[in-house]
Amino acid sequence: MSIMQEQKNNPLHGKRLDFILEALVEYYGWRELGRIIPIRCFNENPSIKSSLTFLRKTPWAREKVEQLYIKKLY
């Protein structure tokens, strides 16, 4: 399978992390997002900037955010 075919089927292709996070916050709100994915940056003084900093350094948390975004799409 070529890379183009793989990317065409990837719902995250072309989506930046800030776009994904902003979409989730708009859809769920910080409180619900922090309940679904219980990490401090969502529950204590949440902001897009602080959350992006944490998610970029923490692969397991970023994966949870990406999976929630995919779940929201389908």
Side-chain angles (χ1 to χ4, degrees):
M1 183 181 290
S2 75
I3 290 175
M4 289 299 287
Q5 285 176 317
E6 288 176 24
Q7 291 303 322
K8 190 169 78 171
N9 295 328
N10 180 354
L12 297 175
H13 179 66
K15 301 282 193 293
R16 292 177 15 177
L17 184 58
D18 59 341
F19 174 86
I20 292 170
L21 182 58
E22 287 170 5
L24 290 174
V25 170
E26 185 176 318
Y27 186 79
Y28 291 106
W30 286 113
R31 177 172 281 168
E32 183 66 8
L33 192 56
R35 189 190 66 73
I36 296 168
I37 304 172
I39 52 179
R40 188 179 307 153
C41 66
F42 291 167
N43 289 309
E44 295 180 19
N45 299 319
S47 74
I48 296 291
K49 184 177 181 194
S50 66
S51 297
L52 286 173
T53 299
F54 177 77
L55 293 171
R56 287 183 177 127
K57 294 178 186 174
T58 316
W60 64 264
R62 181 180 183 145
E63 186 174 327
K64 285 182 181 274
V65 167
E66 290 172 343
Q67 292 304 312
L68 182 60
Y69 179 76
I70 290 169
K71 183 178 168 186
K72 179 181 96 59
L73 287 177
Y74 297 103

